[in-house]
Amino acid sequence: MTMFNRFMFGGDWNPEQWPEDTWEHDIRLLEDAHINEATINVFSWALLQPDEQTYDFSMLDRIVDLLVRHGFAIVLATGTAAIPAWMARDYPQVMRTGIDGTHQVFGGRHNFCPTSPDFRRFARALASRVAERYAGTPGLEAWHVNNEYGNGGGYCYCDLCAQAFRGWLERKYGSVEELNRAWCMNFWSHTIHDWNEIVPPVTYSDAIGTDKCVISGLQIDYRRFQNEQMLDCFRLERDAIREHDAHTPVTTNLMGVFKDLDYYSWGREMDVVSWDNYPGMDTEPSFTAMCHDLMRGVGGGKPFMLMEQTPNQQNWFPYCKVKKPGEVAKLSWQAVAHGADTVQFFQLKQSIGGCERFHGAVIGHDDSERSRTYREVRALGADLERRASALMGSRVYGQVAVVFDWENYWSLEGCVGPTQGLHYPDEVHRFYRPFWRRNVPVDMVESTVDLATLKQYRAVVAPTLILVKPGVAQTLTQYVREGGTLITGYMSGIHNEFELVVEGGYPGPLRELCGVWIEEIDAIAPDAHIDVTIGGRTVRGSIVASIIEPEGAQTIAIYGGGDFYAGTPAATVHTVGEGRVVFIGTALDAEGMGAVIDPVIDACGAETVDSPEGVEVIRRTADDGTVFTTVINTADRSVQWPHALGGEDLDLAPFETRIM
């Protein structure tokens, strides 16, 4: 069941940047492109509230009235994503302080301190007034709180945050003695004797790295604290809206694998998850697919909103490559296939000033219907109008669960050693890609998912599960004992929730389950690799190599090369009860991951579709049992697929999408 009245095709519109006599012209162009929705008021705080005592909704009233007259769907933002000048001047403590101690002044966006009581007071008041004024507006489909929390601003390290953090720690640990133990604070004379001695993690060295900390427990707890502070800001605006509108969905736009916020905690507070998809020119289609699956997982498996993408260039890359013909349609349909019930852009009209003036838009600087971008958006709009509504409310049901866990993200990338080469999303993608290649539907889950949920899946994949939270090892063990298949590997089972190493040898609480002891972890230089032999094939490992001693597990791959551990296990399988665990000791290349995981896919009984390279097949199932199968050629070349689904021969043009 969908929560929207129509399939929304549109995006961010900022008419306040333009003379009012151009607005009707914009609307005509947008309507001709089959656009039926506008997201408005995202960055309008300074216009809505020119000073502390004054609110002025006259311009927003005219924008809303225009959209209502033309029958547009409206996603209405609260407008709180950038601090107005008067607030920065009169209440300087609302501005964020960076990790280097620099206190921001007026300018930019996402620049507020999430702990500031003044920011919270003003943001809540504005959200309340906007909701009171526009609740019940015809066509209002969703409320949009703030915008891309944390993007570009990072965490705040001001005195207000430091004070609140001390209180947060005192409530969590109860005593400084318990905190000292949990953080191993006797290291380097960091023992504290009073809560006021704690400072946020701002002391770094070049040898450690700018995203790491001397005391890792301090670092991860500060991440947890800042996540909660920002989430509180979302809640207070959401609750202000709810005082005036009890039913219209409330969202804020997330950003895929954005590091600083634990999106699972956010998804539990949102009526619908929305997110902004901006793949780079070298982003693999499987990585984009993984991000869609992750955002769907953050939302509990429900359909999500594709709140932003660009119809052409993105402006913040070092090199802003234009999209190829058909590429924006491919990206849009890929989102729909993975669970999106909207297709929206940033932006509908291209800015002529500011740092986003070279960011793509439906209406370009030519201000006409002639541009290739406009014509492609119009064709996409007509196509979505014909085919997308039928898919609304249907769901993707994964057969395999892949763990993506933000605290593991923070823990892995916060390590000082054994290598700087591990980037958590890339390692999760390394394990995800073989399932995407075989068109096995995947659900992304957090590591603490319960046993009843895990038992729905034919396999569970837990890449680089370095931080094992309480109960997780027991849940995974029971899942395997009852017949489940678990795939995990290098850098797993090392830390507890306090960032302390679990004693007794790697992989710590997973050692008995995996049936291996990792005696050492070798780091492989960025320009080097290690040969691995599996099934008579030689593939490559990189980044790290686990030196494995089996403790009940059977060897399925061995290291080659001339190092001292050549000939020892590189991957193993361990039977536990009715199930089994596959442990992969090194970051294998795509061929190597396929060589290990393909037999697991076949053995666990997951449904596969063996399509040509680059052709993705995804299914959404409606409440009445109707199955929509989407076939997408993700490549910029034609593909022939003889005897495809149902035996039909398919000739797919570059970036073409078929729905069956």
Side-chain angles (χ1 to χ4, degrees), residues 5-60:
N5 294 310
R6 66 184 101 175
F7 189 95
M8 289 187 282
F9 181 53
D12 284 48
W13 188 41
N14 302 289
E16 65 274 7
Q17 298 179 15
W18 301 88
E20 193 164 346
D21 60 10
T22 67
W23 294 357
E24 286 280 1
H25 170 71
D26 292 350
I27 290 292
R28 182 188 65 78
L29 287 177
L30 296 175
E31 288 177 325
D32 286 350
H34 303 273
I35 284 173
N36 62 14
E37 179 272 338
T39 302
I40 56 174
N41 197 48
V42 177
F43 293 106
S44 298
W45 199 338
L47 291 174
L48 298 181
Q49 192 176 6
D51 58 56
E52 183 174 349
Q53 290 79 30
T54 306
Y55 290 91
D56 182 359
F57 293 99
S58 57
M59 180 178 288
L60 185 56

Side-chain angles (χ1 to χ4, degrees), residues 590-619:
E591 182 183 358
M593 292 300 290
V596 174
I597 291 179
D598 277 347
V600 178
I601 293 173
D602 296 333
C604 75
E607 295 180 13
T608 63
V609 178
D610 290 327
S611 58
E613 182 180 357
V615 174
E616 183 177 7
V617 181
I618 319 101
R619 294 183 175 90

Side-chain angles (χ1 to χ4, degrees), residues 45 55 80 83 87 91 93-95 112-128 146 149 160-161 164 168 171 225-238 240:
W45 199 338
Y55 290 91
T80 56
I83 300 294
M87 193 185 304
Y91 297 89
Q93 72 274 18
V94 305
M95 303 302 291
F112 58 88
C113 165
T115 302
S116 166
D118 288 317
F119 169 76
R120 292 182 175 212
R121 172 169 60 92
F122 286 125
R124 192 188 194 288
L126 181 61
S128 179
N146 205 279
Y149 279 93
L160 285 172
C161 285
W168 185 88
R171 291 188 296 273
F225 163 75
Q226 283 283 314
N227 178 71
E228 289 187 16
Q229 295 299 96
M230 289 202 191
L231 185 52
D232 279 345
C233 291
F234 167 78
R235 291 190 191 101
L236 69 87
E237 291 195 43
R238 178 203 63 191

Side-chain angles (χ1 to χ4, degrees), residues 567-587:
T568 66
T572 61
V573 61
H574 186 220
T575 300
V576 180
E578 298 298 316
R580 60 181 181 158
V581 180
V582 174
F583 188 94
I584 301 173
T586 183

